[in-house]
Structure formats: C-alpha cells, structure tokens
Amino acid sequence: MISRMSHTTVYVLDQDSAKRFYTEKLGFELRGDLTMGAEFEGAGGGFRWLTVSPPDQPDLAIVLAAVGMGQDQEAADQIRSLIAKGALGAGVMGTDDCQKTYEELSARGVVFVQEPARRPYGIEAVFRDDSGNWFSLTQHVA
C-alpha cells in the first residue's frame, strides 16, 4: 500500500534561476543539488538532480527538473512551450494566512496573477514561478 508522496516534479526553464526563486523568494530549503552521471539511461547522458521543499515539510522533495530531463527533444520542446505560455499548473501550496503570505511573497518579487479571494474551499491567490508554472496559494477555511 502506498503510504505517502515523497517526490514531485516541477519542470523549469533554468535550474539555476529556479533554485534562486524557490529558495530566496518562496523560502524553501535546498534538499539536494547534484549531477547524476551518464549511467542513467533516458536522461540524455546525465542530469542535475535539484530538490527543494518547504521548511516544515522536509519529507517532500520537489524536483526542479530541466525540461529535457528524461525527455526526447520533441517532448522537451513541447514542455518548454507550455511552461513559457503559463499553461501548466504545478499544484497547490498551503498557508495558514493567505493574505499575509501574499504580501510577504509580493514584497520578495513573486508575481501574482490573482490576489487573495474567498472561494468555496477557502482563500486563494495564484502566482507564477520564474519559469511560468502557476500555483494556487490556498488557506483552507472550515
């Protein structure tokens, strides 16, 4: 039986830029940054394994993957195009105070495409990372 999610992948256009965005702007912690060798098939002769996570959730590694990681050139180009258009929603990030987090992240330069608003499931704002992936920032309200 599956007990938990340990890793999830967010494809990014530039891993160095994404590393700065996720650690400096979102406040995530760097969990790993290493280069895997050519022995890893399907990775184009090696790849960079870059992982971050929210400080209070160290057991979840978010892999900031280059668009070509594990992809052929055609698929990598398609992924790159979708990210650049802002067509990919990468997930929901939880917060205890959406308005406060929105203000903090905005002050750090995070671009929001939707300000905090009440929804049936809570209070939600939407932002994009430096590649163009969008995330829901959600405060659940009982």
Side-chain angles (χ1 to χ4, degrees):
M1 173 175 279
I2 297 171
S3 61
R4 64 185 179 91
M5 174 83 81
S6 67
H7 293 71
T8 189
T9 301
V10 174
Y11 285 104
V12 297
L13 301 178
D14 180 295
Q15 286 181 299
D16 289 324
S17 179
K19 180 180 176 180
R20 287 188 301 276
F21 179 86
Y22 282 82
T23 58
E24 296 172 13
K25 294 193 180 199
L26 296 185
F28 286 11
E29 293 180 351
L30 180 65
R31 299 294 178 200
D33 188 354
L34 58 113
T35 300
M36 303 297 228
E39 68 273 15
F40 289 90
E41 294 182 34
F47 59 92
R48 182 177 179 190
W49 185 256
L50 175 62
T51 59
V52 297
S53 68
D56 293 338
Q57 197 174 12
D59 61 334
L60 173 65
I62 299 169
V63 181
L64 302 177
V67 294
M69 188 171 108
Q71 307 294 330
D72 63 30
Q73 189 60 50
E74 181 181 359
D77 290 343
Q78 291 172 341
I79 293 167
R80 185 177 293 105
S81 176
L82 290 169
I83 292 169
K85 288 179 185 177
L88 296 181
V92 178
M93 296 190 187
T95 180
D96 292 331
D97 187 333
C98 190
Q99 183 65 41
K100 180 179 177 185
T101 304
Y102 164 80
E103 291 168 5
E104 291 170 351
L105 295 180
S106 293
R108 293 183 198 159
V110 175
V111 175
F112 280 81
V113 296
Q114 177 187 301
E115 294 181 5
R118 184 163 288 281
R119 305 281 183 233
Y121 46 85
I123 300 170
E124 177 189 49
V126 177
F127 69 90
R128 289 204 172 132
D129 70 6
D130 64 321
S131 291
N133 296 299
W134 61 268
F135 292 89
S136 169
L137 176 67
T138 301
Q139 172 187 344
H140 290 283
V141 178

